[in-house]
Amino acid sequence: MKTTTQSIEQLSINTVRVLAADAVQKANSGHPGLPMGAAPIGHILWTEALNYNPQNPDWPNRDRFILSAGHGCMLQYCFMYLTGYDLSLDDLKQFRQLDSQTPGHPEYGLSKGIEITTGPLGQGFANGVGFAIGQYHLAARYNKPDFPLFDYKIYALCSDGDMMEGITSEAASLAAHLKLGNLIYFYDDNHISIEGSTDLTFTEDVAQRFQAYGWHVQVVPDGNDLEALYQAVKAAQEETTRPSLIKVRTHIGYGSPNKADTADAHGSPLGEDELRLVKENFGFDPDQSFVVPEDVLHYYREIGKERAKKEEQWNDLYKAYKAKYPELAEEYELVSNGQLPPGWEEKIPVFPAGEEKIATRKASGKVLNAIADNLPHLIGGSADLSPSTDTDLKNYKSFTADNREGRIFHFGIREHAMGAILNGLAVSKGIIPYGATFLVFSDYMRPTIRLAAIMKIRPIFIFTHDSIGLGEDGTTHQPIEHLMSLRAIPNLVVIRPADANETAQAWRVAIGHPGGPVALILTRQGLPVIDQEKYTKATELEKGAYILSDSEKEPDVILMGTGSEVSLLLQAQEELKKESIAARIVSMPSWELFDRQDDSYKEKVFPKAVKKRLAVEAGAVLGWYKYVTDEGDILGMTSFGESAPAADLFKKFGFTVDNIVKRVRKLVG
């Protein structure tokens, strides 16, 4: 370790402990125990392990720190303030308050230096695997001999709760398989969860579990032993073929005479009386709060300045790299700034109308492979379902332990981890990630989808086998409520295209969509390709809903739908003409995109004067009432499906031209 006196180190660590306890007490809410117990780990991270620049927290080759145990966020906030990030002592005093920079769990985009929003336990652990994959992939594409542009590491602090969550097991297994030696995780082994001792539910040997996965595992018996922590970090940094777990025995609420090693230090303030005892225990004035000794602040700020020199060295390296490899540098600057290569859309295919039907999942695969060459930063795969989801890039190889440049990902049957890994990739600038599974399994991914929407990042989620149309697999695999549940997530754009050309346009929107994730909802069964010459072109999909086919006169009824049901509406329109019923057909692939349009466009598509409306979608009906009005009707699913061929199921549940016509007759009287 660097030669600094133990006294300043110990005073600095104790300052963090007291600051954290003060902030939680002032907020009258929070978790003081983890920061108090894990302060030495934080000290080693910010003084010895991490490469960072407090003045520019986003420099590309910084090490990433993830607080998977997000409830202990005062630990991170304290070290960010002390080392010179744009976070003040007043911000610490506003912990958990409205509009503060210090919310109850770290939030990406709110404070510079927070790498990702973790929230639910286990998410950060799995996010880190995405970060690690991203680092290796960027290095494989851009690093050159003598130019190690990207060699950063990913550090995380995890809790007992993280180790219990299933997502952690999924991600840990994959990380070891991929030999992600750039991962260094601390396990804050304090033996306490909210209900009490972890012995209530958790008695496994975590170290042996991770050794069985294939991790490099070290155990530090005393979390206050700075030298042991330092040596463990050093050994982990030298390990390059296995992810590292450092299991550290800590004491939650360390320094609290009556609440250390108890659940009382986990999820609530210590209380004024106990906080006074803590301050006395560490030699602080119990009558003062938020005290930072001048020499402690100077000590940490100088370390922050020293760490900033790492970026200066990297900037010199990048300048020389740019001179030698200008094309690669130009590409990286473009994609890392969120821009797209000029002309990438030119490769989007147009599908001709004809007799051959094509499933939108198959159309999606054709689009992916058509645009892949022009989008080198588009990478992804599926949860062991690529033959079914059609997500392989045919001209590219797989990402493996031996080929970091591969663009096809094999997540295995790990949907939950896949989502979190995609989020980690999405915040690794220079990568657009996608991941695929069946729509019914989006249930496993809901926390990660929600977090992506909160962070306003843009992974692309591909969900195929989108309705009872998947057929024989039956009720367990036929999604009913899933479309509506995804639509309920704020800031998630859900697109269910009606045919191959709408699918192509859905990809155009998804690739260029800023400020949030996109979910593509695709069919297993083949669908007719809607004639682009006869009907409105699919480019209108970007508006969310559009008049696909209008009536010759003022419409008597508006028929709206998504996905596979739209072609039924077009057929029904022809039948209704024979009965002199004028029907407007609206394809409505994305509610979210449509709701963003101005009032004049909405009125154009859905005139208030036309109140007779029918929505048709092979999913739950909840939500459609917003568009059909009180005088309208909905043809949807109000039960689970059955196991049978798709055609039989559509007939049984009323998704036929005859039934649509019958429902319209009833509407218009």
Side-chain angles (χ1 to χ4, degrees), residues 136 188 220 239:
Y136 276 124
D188 176 35
V220 176
E239 172 61 53

Side-chain angles (χ1 to χ4, degrees), residues 13 24 36 57 94 163 190 250 264 270 294 348 372 386 413 431 477 516-517 576 584 629:
I13 291 168
V24 173
M36 294 172 72
Q94 291 300 307
M163 296 303 160
N190 64 38
T250 64
D264 289 338
L270 297 176
E294 188 175 333
I348 294 177
S386 61
I413 307 170
I431 295 175
H477 282 54
L576 290 167
R584 169 179 291 179
T629 77

Side-chain angles (χ1 to χ4, degrees), residues 232-252:
V233 169
K234 188 176 179 182
Q237 290 172 334
E238 292 170 354
E239 172 61 53
T240 59
T241 61
R242 292 177 292 172
S244 289
L245 182 74
I246 304 172
K247 181 174 178 282
V248 185
R249 176 66 174 106
T250 64
H251 297 274
I252 194 169

Side-chain angles (χ1 to χ4, degrees), residues 109-256:
L110 188 60
S111 297
K112 290 289 187 180
I114 303 298
E115 299 288 357
I116 198 162
T117 301
T118 50
L121 291 174
Q123 288 291 326
F125 188 105
N127 293 150
V129 177
F131 277 99
I133 292 168
Q135 184 271 310
Y136 276 124
H137 187 74
L138 290 172
R141 183 162 186 82
Y142 295 110
N143 285 11
K144 295 295 179 184
D146 300 323
F147 291 98
L149 282 191
F150 301 109
D151 59 0
Y152 57 86
K153 295 185 181 298
I154 295 85
Y155 296 82
L157 179 61
C158 310
S159 65
D160 289 297
D162 288 292
M163 296 303 160
M164 296 183 204
E165 291 283 2
I167 188 174
T168 295
S169 298
E170 292 183 18
S173 172
L174 184 59
H177 170 74
L178 292 174
K179 298 181 180 179
L180 302 180
N182 53 358
L183 283 178
I184 300 175
Y185 283 6
F186 285 91
Y187 166 26
D188 176 35
D189 179 26
N190 64 38
H191 294 194
I192 295 294
S193 62
I194 289 176
E195 292 184 354
S197 170
T198 52
D199 286 345
L200 287 167
T201 61
F202 192 57
T203 51
E204 68 184 46
D205 189 322
V206 174
Q208 286 191 3
R209 169 158 65 111
F210 275 76
Q211 286 171 349
Y213 286 139
W215 284 57
H216 172 240
V217 179
Q218 302 174 79
V219 177
V220 176
D222 179 6
N224 290 311
D225 187 339
L226 295 181
E227 183 62 30
L229 289 170
Y230 171 73
Q231 293 299 334
V233 169
K234 188 176 179 182
Q237 290 172 334
E238 292 170 354
E239 172 61 53
T240 59
T241 61
R242 292 177 292 172
S244 289
L245 182 74
I246 304 172
K247 181 174 178 282
V248 185
R249 176 66 174 106
T250 64
H251 297 274
I252 194 169
Y254 182 85
S256 173

Side-chain angles (χ1 to χ4, degrees), residues 45-46 50 63-67 75-76 113 115 155-157:
L45 280 167
W46 268 272
L50 292 169
D63 290 330
R64 272 61 165 174
F65 172 72
I66 302 168
L67 188 63
L75 177 79
Q76 186 170 8
E115 299 288 357
Y155 296 82
L157 179 61

